[in-house]
Amino acid sequence: MLLKKENKLKPLDFPLLVCTLIIVCFGIVMVFSASYYSAQIESGNSLAYVTKQIYGAVLGFAAMIMVSRIDYDFLKRNAKLFLIICFIMLILVLIPGIGINRNGARRWLGFGTSFSFQPAEIAKFGLILFLASSMSNRQKKLKKFRTGLLPYGIILACLSGLILLQPNLSMVICLGIIWFGMMFAGGIPIRQIVFMMALGFVAVLVLAFGAGYRKSRMTTFLDPWSDASNKGYQIIQSLYSIASGGLFGTGLGNSRQKMLFLPYGESDFIFAIIAEELGFIGIILYFGLCLFLFWRGIKIALTCDDMFGSLVATGVVASISSQVALNVAVAVKLVPTTGLTLPFISAGLTSLVVMMCNVGLLLNISRHCSPRRRDS
């Protein structure tokens, strides 16, 4: 059956659910604060972004609850099919007339600007479920390179190749982090993982400097003030925003950089607006919520009754935490601009729904944990 029978369900991880809802509500407040001025200028409707965010939160909550109740064995049995569907969508997005092109990137499927989504986001789902299902069924073969790490490396390479054609290097990096985390949790020998990490690092460097626009982005990252009015403008404005926040911030709604100085302040660079308005204290509180969410996810992975659920939880935690880390690193100029959203916070309906579905998976798995160990 698609849905579980109620009499067989264990209580879901209520602290995880509450923490997620708090972060989502915080995101709605910050999207409104960061976007109302630019939304008024762009569309004449200051509530344009926050209305969409609230809509995404409602849809995301419904999707999260639905995913939390999907039959556990159904997910495991159909993981391969789901990955195949992800491959098909990644191919479709590259076909002219089907994939949606924005700013020179072909990353979206949908219907114009009214409804669209990134198949690469869903591909993270597909990779997590497939790896967890396959590795839990082939535990005795994981120690050998040819039957363990190699076939999973080929699958990662195929997914990454399709996503690079969009192009979207930052999403490939996220997939790689998920993959390495699950390989480690699945029992792949450390020496094999280290070898693949070295290859992956070299590959990222080659890709980063191989394409002209990526090389330009790397040069701008190293010295944004060399082109402060053009390519370095966004990151410089982000740093100004963060520096203005100080310890307690300028106050909710009082950001200056959101007055059309910082591009994408409601989405990719919303962390900078949070730092400006709520200061260091606000950032610490946000990080505290994130760490609590990650801790609950790790506890679920450690206390799950079987390997499949444990690996899925590991992949989900790696997915969310890596995206938080990369988004924050971009805002404070630790890595080049990636275009990744801040999970649960940045404006974007599909991003929010996908992230809440991730939590739905954790809640689903929490029903298969030992209650004593989980709550300890």
Side-chain angles (χ1 to χ4, degrees), residues 297-319:
I298 293 171
K299 293 285 288 185
I300 290 170
L302 292 174
T303 59
C304 185
D305 292 340
D306 67 355
M307 187 175 183
F308 171 72
S310 180
L311 288 174
V312 170
T314 300
V316 168
V317 172
S319 175

Side-chain angles (χ1 to χ4, degrees), residues 138 141-153 188:
R138 303 173 67 248
K141 298 181 179 180
L142 297 180
K143 299 296 182 181
K144 295 182 179 180
F145 180 78
R146 292 183 61 183
T147 58
L149 188 136
L150 180 60
Y152 298 131
I188 297 292

Side-chain angles (χ1 to χ4, degrees), residues 198-211:
L199 287 181
F201 180 74
V202 172
V204 168
L205 288 180
V206 171
L207 290 169
F209 289 96

Side-chain angles (χ1 to χ4, degrees), residues 268-345:
D268 297 356
F269 282 83
I270 196 169
F271 177 80
I273 303 299
I274 295 173
E276 182 181 2
E277 294 190 349
L278 303 182
F280 181 74
I281 300 299
I283 291 174
I284 292 299
L285 291 174
Y286 168 69
F287 283 157
L289 288 170
C290 288
L291 289 174
F292 182 81
L293 187 149
F294 301 153
W295 172 67
R296 296 307 298 182
I298 293 171
K299 293 285 288 185
I300 290 170
L302 292 174
T303 59
C304 185
D305 292 340
D306 67 355
M307 187 175 183
F308 171 72
S310 180
L311 288 174
V312 170
T314 300
V316 168
V317 172
S319 175
I320 300 175
S321 60
S322 64
Q323 195 157 326
V324 170
L326 286 172
N327 180 278
V328 173
V330 167
V332 299
K333 194 185 167 293
L334 288 178
V335 298
T337 305
T338 63
L340 288 173
T341 58
L342 188 62
F344 308 106
I345 303 295

Side-chain angles (χ1 to χ4, degrees), residues 26-35 53 238 241-242 262-277 286 327 331 340-347:
F26 173 69
I28 292 173
V29 172
M30 291 311 306
V31 166
F32 171 69
S33 178
S35 70
Q53 194 74 356
S238 175
S241 183
I242 294 170
L262 176 61
Y264 301 108
E266 76 287 340
S267 54
D268 297 356
F269 282 83
I270 196 169
F271 177 80
I273 303 299
I274 295 173
E276 182 181 2
E277 294 190 349
Y286 168 69
N327 180 278
L340 288 173
T341 58
L342 188 62
F344 308 106
I345 303 295
S346 293

Side-chain angles (χ1 to χ4, degrees), residues 45-286:
N45 180 10
S46 60
L47 301 178
Y49 284 104
V50 72
T51 300
K52 190 174 182 180
Q53 194 74 356
I54 293 173
Y55 184 42
V58 173
L59 286 178
F61 180 78
M64 179 175 67
I65 297 302
M66 183 182 71
V67 171
S68 73
R69 296 190 58 194
I70 291 178
D71 183 71
Y72 195 69
D73 293 329
F74 176 85
L75 292 173
K76 187 174 183 179
R77 289 195 309 268
N78 294 278
K80 185 181 295 185
L81 174 62
F82 195 74
L83 182 66
I84 293 173
I85 294 173
C86 291
F87 268 109
I88 294 173
M89 289 192 296
L90 289 174
I91 294 172
L92 288 175
V93 81
L94 299 174
I95 300 176
I98 298 179
I100 299 173
N101 193 318
R102 296 175 184 168
N103 300 321
R106 194 178 297 276
R107 302 176 183 176
W108 297 267
L109 288 176
F111 308 99
T113 57
S114 58
F115 172 76
S116 61
F117 65 95
Q118 291 191 44
E121 288 282 357
I122 302 176
K124 292 191 292 186
F125 247 68
L127 181 64
I128 290 171
L129 290 176
F130 173 78
L131 290 179
S133 176
S134 179
M135 294 175 75
S136 62
N137 290 331
R138 303 173 67 248
Q139 296 182 40
K140 294 181 179 180
K141 298 181 179 180
L142 297 180
K143 299 296 182 181
K144 295 182 179 180
F145 180 78
R146 292 183 61 183
T147 58
L149 188 136
L150 180 60
Y152 298 131
I154 293 173
I155 291 172
L156 175 66
C158 292
L159 280 175
S160 300
L162 290 172
I163 294 174
L164 284 172
L165 292 175
Q166 296 180 359
N168 194 348
L169 178 59
S170 56
M171 189 61 69
V172 170
I173 294 174
C174 281
L175 283 178
I177 294 173
I178 294 169
W179 186 87
F180 280 114
M182 295 185 70
M183 291 299 106
F184 176 78
I188 297 292
I190 296 296
R191 63 181 182 278
Q192 296 181 23
I193 296 177
V194 171
F195 173 72
M196 289 299 293
M197 288 181 68
L199 287 181
F201 180 74
V202 172
V204 168
L205 288 180
V206 171
L207 290 169
F209 289 96
Y213 80 94
R214 293 195 192 111
K215 185 176 181 179
S216 175
R217 184 176 292 178
M218 288 295 294
T219 303
T220 302
F221 160 69
L222 294 174
D223 185 14
W225 285 271
S226 63
D227 193 7
S229 62
N230 188 15
K231 295 179 180 179
Y233 177 82
Q234 190 175 36
I235 186 61
I236 290 175
Q237 296 303 317
S238 175
L239 293 176
Y240 284 159
S241 183
I242 294 170
S244 301
L247 183 61
F248 297 104
T250 58
L252 185 64
N254 293 328
S255 167
R256 296 179 181 178
Q257 294 304 114
K258 70 183 178 187
M259 304 296 182
L260 303 185
F261 291 105
L262 176 61
Y264 301 108
E266 76 287 340
S267 54
D268 297 356
F269 282 83
I270 196 169
F271 177 80
I273 303 299
I274 295 173
E276 182 181 2
E277 294 190 349
L278 303 182
F280 181 74
I281 300 299
I283 291 174
I284 292 299
L285 291 174
Y286 168 69

Side-chain angles (χ1 to χ4, degrees), residues 8-28:
K8 293 185 179 180
L9 295 179
K10 295 179 181 178
L12 55 75
D13 194 311
F14 189 71
L16 173 63
L17 175 61
V18 172
C19 179
T20 301
L21 294 179
I22 291 174
I23 298 176
V24 170
C25 291
F26 173 69
I28 292 173

